[in-house]
């Protein structure tokens, strides 16, 4: 892994100031994706700002029933939360079906949103990959693309987005709150990730100096009856070939409300 | 309780050698070491502290052989940077004294033994998670707390620990015995 400087931010202001003032800085929380990508030489930040001391670990209910989840809440804590399990079971299930318990204990909500594809051509330095090296081509197209996306693709990239949690968040119309030295922005999760188009290396609408601070879940009554199903090559601990998040309301034999979101098949959740 | 508890101290950087002086609490005692920021907790344990009980299987969070406990919660030490884990209570297999260890021997829960330290640390973490009422993907009624640790639950909750010798049946038996 390439050398880097490490600092632990004592507060949000310091974290935002540091990333705004310097080049090639990345935030570090759980590290379950970033550390791996750095070891693979795909990410090479000059500085890592550890944000685990920031006060972003709450799960609180707002007056209108919205659940505000801090960006540093661990995946396992979010999935185990009683309010999440009763009001948004699809979200708890999606998280529990992802990764392993050890990884879910380390990974954070913010980091899960920012995780990068598991496409083998992205990881393989000998392969052409427009996401890893802009303009180099895409060996996945016409290659071993069984796990690749079929929706939202372009002639430059067919990499699937791997997050299960994000699929559930899209179903629930969650909103991502981000902050920088310029202030706070709110982005609907459905607009947070970008389609590859001709710039597959730019995956989200986050500015380089923005920090995800929270994800807000609006009240969604139909979500009380929701599920997440995942199809994959193993019974556990594997990414989705295809997954679906669904919420359904039925009254007197008639479907009155339905929501569906797909995972494993698209370039964004 | 969130795993990411606040650090109590900020590491002191040794600018000359680009290493950081840190103090890790391992199995109840404080250990001071000088590590570059990129050193994983796994490498710190094995290479810097000589605690080779924790194993490196894949070094990418895909096998669980490196599982250790941090404040009682199981993590993959290979993806953890040592500099991030100051002020936390880290338990490795060297610091474990648990009925599971004898159970693994009795139920034939290992062959080569390479995944075993990770299996045991993971199982200890798993039992704690279950005791707190945390659900798993195998839990039928998500809103319910606890529930029985049957075969399906144990296998799902332990799915982050691979065993190439295929001692899974013995591992599940050992855990089931102790969980009773």
């Amino acid at each position: 892994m390439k050398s880097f400087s490490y600092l632990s931010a004592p507060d949000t202001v310091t974290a935002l100031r540091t990333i705004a003032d310097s080049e090639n800085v990345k935030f570090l929380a759980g590290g379950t994706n970033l550390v791996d990508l750095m070891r693979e030489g795909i990410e090479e930040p000059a500085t890592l700002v550890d944000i685990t001391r920031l006060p972003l670990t709450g799960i609180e209910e707002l007056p209108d029933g919205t659940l505000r989840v801090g960006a540093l809440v661990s995946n396992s804590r979010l999935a185990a939360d009683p309010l999440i399990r009763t009001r948004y079971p699809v979200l708890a299930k999606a998280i529990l079906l992802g990764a392993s318990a050890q990884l879910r204990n380390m990974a954070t909500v913010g980091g899960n949103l920012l995780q990068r594809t598991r496409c083998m051509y992205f990881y393989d330095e000998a392969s052409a990959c427009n996401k890893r090296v802009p303009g180099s081509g895409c060996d996945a197209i016409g290659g071993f693309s069984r796990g690749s996306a079929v929706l939202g693709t372009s002639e430059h990239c067919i990499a699937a987005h791997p997050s299960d949690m994000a699929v559930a968040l899209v179903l629930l119309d969650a909103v991502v709150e981000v902050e920088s030295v310029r202030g706070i922005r709110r982005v609907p999760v459905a607009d947070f990730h970008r389609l590859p188009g001709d710039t597959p290396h730019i995956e989200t609408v986050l500015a380089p100096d923005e920090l995800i601070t929270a994800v807000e879940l609006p009240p969604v009554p139909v979500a009380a009856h929701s599920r997440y199903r995942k199809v994959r090559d193993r019974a556990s601990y594997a990414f989705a070939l295809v997954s679906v998040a669904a919420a359904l309301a039925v009254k007197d034999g008639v479907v009155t409300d339905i929501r569906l979101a797909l995972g494993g098949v698209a370039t964004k959740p | 309780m969130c795993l990411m508890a606040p650090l109590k101290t900020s590491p002191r950087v040794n600018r000359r050698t680009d290493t950081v002086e840190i103090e890790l609490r391992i199995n109840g005692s404080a250990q001071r070491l000088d590590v570059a920021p990129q050193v994983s907790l796994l490498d710190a344990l094995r290479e810097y502290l000589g605690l080779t009980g924790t194993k490196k299987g894949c070094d990418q969070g895909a096998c669980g052989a490196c599982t250790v406990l941090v404040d009682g919660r199981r993590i993959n030490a290979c993806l953890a940077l040592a500099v991030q884990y100051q002020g936390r209570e880290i338990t490795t297999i060297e610091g474990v004294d648990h009925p599971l260890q004898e159970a693994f021997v009795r139920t034939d829960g290992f062959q080569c033994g390479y995944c075993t330290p990770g299996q045991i640390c993971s199982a200890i973490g798993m039992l704690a998670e279950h005791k707190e009422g945390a659900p798993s993907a195998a839990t039928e009624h998500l809103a319910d707390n606890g529930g029985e640790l049957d075969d399906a639950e144990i296998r799902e909750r332990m799915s982050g620990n691979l065993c190439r010798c295929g001692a899974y049946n013995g591992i599940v038996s050992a855990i089931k015995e102790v969980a009773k």
Side-chain angles (χ1 to χ4, degrees):
Chain A
M1 191 190 299
K2 207 169 177 190
S3 291
F4 56 90
S5 299
Y6 166 89
L7 28 109
S8 171
D11 51 53
T12 309
V13 168
T14 308
L16 296 179
R17 182 91 270 143
T18 307
I19 200 167
D21 289 350
S22 317
E23 289 283 303
N24 206 4
V25 177
K26 285 202 91 80
F27 292 126
L28 173 70
T32 52
N33 195 215
L34 183 56
V35 171
D36 183 42
L37 292 172
M38 289 171 69
R39 205 168 273 151
E40 297 283 333
I42 295 170
E43 296 274 3
E44 295 184 320
T47 305
L48 281 188
V49 173
D50 183 338
I51 55 169
T52 57
R53 286 198 278 170
L54 304 194
L56 303 174
T57 56
I59 301 177
E60 53 166 321
E61 185 169 7
L62 303 184
D64 69 346
T66 294
L67 270 191
R68 184 182 165 83
V69 180
L72 289 178
V73 171
S74 73
N75 282 198
S76 56
R77 182 166 153 248
L78 186 60
D81 183 85
L83 283 179
I84 300 288
R85 284 153 77 180
T86 44
R87 295 187 193 179
Y88 310 100
V90 60
L91 178 57
K93 197 63 185 269
I95 292 170
L96 291 172
L97 278 167
S100 67
Q102 293 91 315
L103 293 170
R104 293 190 296 268
N105 282 341
M106 299 166 82
T108 62
V109 169
N112 190 319
L113 278 172
L114 293 175
Q115 72 178 290
R116 306 194 69 186
T117 187
R118 295 285 165 157
C119 175
M120 67 172 74
Y121 299 94
F122 173 66
Y123 269 83
D124 177 25
E125 281 186 327
S127 291
C129 173
N130 288 317
K131 193 182 277 288
R132 196 182 66 246
V133 180
S136 62
C138 174
D139 278 342
I141 297 173
F144 188 72
S145 57
R146 178 175 172 269
S148 303
V150 293
L151 300 172
T153 60
S154 75
E155 58 187 6
H156 303 280
C157 186
I158 60 170
H161 195 279
S163 172
D164 295 300
M165 182 198 78
V167 174
L169 291 181
V170 166
L171 185 92
L172 299 171
D173 289 328
V175 176
V176 184
E177 189 184 271
V178 306
E179 197 175 335
S180 71
V181 291
R182 295 176 298 287
I184 294 174
R185 265 199 320 142
R186 296 167 59 80
V187 182
V189 72
D191 300 332
F192 184 79
H193 296 96
R194 293 168 46 116
L195 293 174
D198 53 12
T199 55
H201 59 292
I202 305 173
E203 298 177 349
T204 70
V205 298
L206 266 192
D209 64 346
E210 281 180 320
L211 169 72
I212 301 174
T213 47
V215 171
E216 290 190 352
L217 305 169
V220 181
V222 68
H225 306 280
S226 60
R227 294 285 183 276
Y228 190 80
R229 299 241 186 270
K230 186 173 178 181
V231 174
R232 46 187 168 172
D233 287 334
R234 302 198 294 205
S236 187
Y237 202 11
F239 291 94
L241 284 173
V242 61
S243 66
V244 60
L248 193 70
V250 179
K251 191 176 177 189
D252 300 324
V254 178
V255 174
T256 54
D257 195 3
I258 180 164
R259 293 183 180 219
L260 287 172
L262 300 177
V265 295
T267 55
K268 54 177 264 185
Chain B
M1 168 107 114
C2 181
L3 180 74
M4 295 305 188
L7 283 178
K8 294 189 177 64
T9 57
S10 207
R12 193 169 74 80
V13 180
N14 181 339
R15 300 241 172 264
R16 202 156 34 92
T17 58
D18 290 332
T19 58
V20 181
E21 222 179 80
I22 63 171
E23 184 180 286
L24 295 176
R25 287 197 57 78
I26 315 279
N27 300 326
S29 51
Q31 305 284 346
R32 297 190 138 269
L33 49 161
D34 239 334
V35 291
Q38 64 255 43
V39 173
S40 65
L41 178 61
L42 178 62
D43 283 341
L45 291 170
R46 293 181 52 83
E47 311 295 333
Y48 288 70
L49 296 172
L51 294 169
T52 53
T54 311
K55 305 301 184 205
K56 179 176 286 191
C58 70
D59 212 21
Q60 53 180 227
C63 78
C66 67
T67 306
V68 296
L69 296 161
V70 173
D71 298 329
R73 291 217 189 278
R74 46 182 172 163
I75 67 159
N76 289 331
C78 67
L79 293 178
L81 295 181
V83 291
Q84 281 193 294
Y85 285 81
Q86 294 191 95
R88 318 292 293 277
E89 290 295 335
I90 299 165
T91 308
T92 69
I93 192 65
E94 288 88 350
V96 166
D97 183 8
H98 196 281
L100 263 177
Q101 291 163 290
E102 194 264 340
F104 263 66
V105 173
R106 208 165 0 91
T107 64
D108 205 22
F110 62 93
Q111 290 183 34
C112 78
Y114 196 78
C115 74
T116 312
Q119 296 281 0
I120 290 175
C121 288
S122 184
I124 293 171
M126 183 276 280
L127 291 171
E129 288 161 14
H130 177 257
K131 199 166 173 200
E132 286 174 357
S136 82
T139 307
E140 203 175 317
H141 299 291
L142 265 186
D144 295 344
N145 262 355
E148 200 203 319
L149 265 183
D150 57 17
D151 272 34
E153 280 280 8
I154 293 173
R155 286 177 188 275
E156 169 55 34
R157 288 169 191 263
M158 292 298 294
S159 69
N161 290 82
L162 305 184
C163 171
R164 293 296 271 121
C165 295
Y168 294 113
N169 290 348
I171 294 168
V172 172
S173 296
I175 294 171
K176 218 164 168 193
E177 266 189 31
V178 168
K180 269 203 298 262

